[in-house]
Amino acid sequence: MKRVLILIYVVTLTSLTFAGNPPAWVKAKPVDNDYYIGISSALTTEKNFQQVARDKALGDLIGEINIEIESSSLLNRQEIDEQYSESFRQDIKSTAVAQLEGHEMVDSYNDGERYWVYYRLNKAEYEKLMQKRLSDAINQAYGYWVKGLQAEKAGQLVDAMDLYLSGLSAIEEYANRRLPVDHQGKSTDVGIELYTSLKLLFFDLTIRTNPQKITAQSFSKEPSIVQIEVLRGETPAVGLPLKARFSIGEGSVSLDSKTQNDGSATLTLTNITSKLTYQEIELRVDVKVPTRFNTSFMKQLTDDLFDHIPVIKLPVEVEQSPLKVILYTKDHDTNTSLLNMISSYLNDYFDIVSDRESADLSIWVTPSIRKGGIVKSEMYDLYEIFASCDLTITDLATGNIVANFGLQDVRSLVPENSSNSKIRSTAQRDLFKKLRPVIERNLQKAHFSRKAQSATDLSPEDYDDTSMPEIIE
């Protein structure tokens, strides 16, 4: 009998919990000067509805915390975009929810349709915790700043940049506050000092080259050496990444990946493949912000960090006129499209001539096309076409073959009813797309002589004595 009474009592209480009047805090959010308060709800049909309601309530609680931007803070500096301020506030609040400590659940209520939850956070305890976190962040940032200053003084600019960025990352959540530290007997704001040091880090950078211009020959076997010196003020920049490329012309350039302890690096020009008489190598510092500092706050601070780094334009003057080349092929008429594309492309490197006596090089072009099988499809059948091409480059001054390369069986698909001319043009176009970079790579590796000598000239008939070749003009 007692068990029956107890069961009836529990059922009655449960019925009252769902059917009774909701607590006052559900109808109106309480006001308490000693606590931040967060209240929210979730439908009981939602997945993990209790967790959903909790997260929303904590977000509501954090919303009561005012994020002020102090007038002397890093975030209030004029260099920082004013439109970023509100975004910063939202980011800080999102971070605060994830790191929230000391909050307590006061009550919960379930009316059968919605689940309500009530959280609060003691204001005094929260401020005490925030002051502890702030103090730790300031001390950590100050340590990064001091180490950064030491690295900068030693010319280790990349290390200094990483340290300054690490310091700014440490105080990211507190950039709206003044961050005072005592440095060498004076009070200063570590956030502003880190930001200023970072902004000025690459400001006074100088890049010098010796010689100041390169005089060279195209396709020369002799490398051209350039000594580079990078200084910050009068201090050598140590371990600074560099990058070089042809901004005008074309050739092979190698460069030390980083400057040495004396700020020096060596650039080596091993081959010039363009026939332009004036060319230019662009030399720049190749430094980037590490990806781990990719928050919106850090991007805001580093947006124009590298704008003041100089870019050096190193002139390259090509001494002699371009090499002269005569092109040979067989069956010119059936391969006109491909041969014209090859001739046009090679004209960027050489002067194409039809007089063998004036040529420095001869290039034998041997293309071929063959049909494959039929590829069935719903709309129409397709022919497989395989195109190949070999190129042999001979130095006419020595008679030596200096390059021999090509591509085999580049596949194309054309409708079965295509004309022969359409089949050839499609196959040759597809072949040239893949052949072009192969030609470029081989030319960059090749070295040639000048002033063709007929005594050692290798006759084109030596490749195939069955018929005379045609000259491509």
Side-chain angles (χ1 to χ4, degrees), residues 209-224:
T209 64
N210 184 23
Q212 294 184 350
K213 73 175 182 178
I214 300 174
T215 302
Q217 294 181 345
S218 57
F219 294 104
S220 173
K221 298 178 182 179
E222 297 298 323
S224 299

Side-chain angles (χ1 to χ4, degrees), residues 92-284:
I92 292 302
K93 289 182 178 182
S94 297
T95 304
V97 171
Q99 299 179 350
L100 195 61
E101 296 179 23
H103 55 282
E104 58 180 341
M105 189 176 78
V106 178
D107 199 1
S108 64
Y109 173 72
N110 190 335
D111 63 7
E113 181 179 349
R114 301 193 71 88
Y115 172 77
W116 296 78
V117 66
Y118 174 180
Y119 277 89
R120 70 179 183 180
L121 175 66
N122 186 281
K123 293 181 178 180
E125 291 297 322
Y126 175 76
E127 186 58 30
K128 182 179 178 181
L129 177 63
M130 287 299 100
Q131 287 298 327
K132 172 66 167 59
R133 288 181 178 175
L134 177 63
S135 177
D136 291 344
I138 290 175
N139 290 334
Q140 186 181 23
Y142 178 68
Y144 282 125
W145 180 49
V146 171
K147 291 179 181 178
L149 292 175
Q150 294 169 350
E152 182 179 335
K153 185 177 180 180
Q156 298 165 345
L157 303 187
V158 175
D159 292 342
M161 178 186 72
D162 195 270
L163 288 162
Y164 293 150
L165 290 170
S166 296
L168 287 166
S169 180
I171 53 91
E172 179 172 348
E173 296 175 38
Y174 312 102
N176 60 308
R177 301 193 183 196
R178 187 173 181 274
L179 306 171
V181 293
D182 182 75
H183 179 66
Q184 298 179 348
K186 295 181 180 179
S187 178
T188 188
D189 187 294
V190 70
I192 293 175
E193 292 293 350
L194 279 163
Y195 177 65
T196 303
S197 296
L198 181 66
K199 282 292 184 182
L200 297 178
L201 185 59
F202 299 105
F203 201 89
D204 193 22
L205 210 59
T206 303
I207 303 176
R208 298 172 182 169
T209 64
N210 184 23
Q212 294 184 350
K213 73 175 182 178
I214 300 174
T215 302
Q217 294 181 345
S218 57
F219 294 104
S220 173
K221 298 178 182 179
E222 297 298 323
S224 299
I225 307 297
V226 178
Q227 296 299 327
I228 299 166
E229 184 181 31
V230 185
L231 303 173
R232 184 176 184 274
E234 296 301 321
T235 303
V238 181
L240 201 60
L242 299 174
K243 180 170 64 175
R245 69 175 185 90
F246 269 87
S247 53
I248 301 175
E250 194 168 3
S252 299
V253 180
S254 61
L255 178 65
D256 294 342
S257 60
K258 296 180 181 179
T259 55
Q260 306 301 313
N261 290 336
D262 59 355
S264 68
T266 300
L267 180 147
T268 304
L269 175 59
T270 55
N271 204 2
I272 298 174
T273 54
S274 171
K275 67 178 185 180
L276 295 174
T277 55
Y278 177 83
Q279 303 183 38
E280 205 169 69
I281 295 174
E282 181 183 275
L283 177 65
R284 64 170 65 236

Side-chain angles (χ1 to χ4, degrees), residues 289-344:
V289 175
T291 55
R292 67 180 183 278
F293 302 114
N294 64 350
T295 64
S296 57
F297 172 75
M298 298 300 288
K299 289 178 181 177
Q300 189 79 18
L301 297 184
T302 59
D303 183 50
D304 60 350
L305 179 58
F306 308 120
D307 287 359
H308 302 291
I309 298 180
V311 177
I312 297 299
K313 303 290 187 178
L314 183 62
V316 179
E317 294 184 358
V318 180
E319 283 185 327
Q320 298 187 14
S321 60
L323 287 165
K324 295 179 174 60
V325 170
I326 185 167
L327 303 180
Y328 291 105
T329 189
K330 292 181 180 178
D331 200 13
H332 184 284
D333 291 341
T334 57
N335 296 292
T336 302
S337 177
L338 175 64
L339 298 174
N340 286 343
M341 286 185 283
I342 292 174
S343 178
S344 177

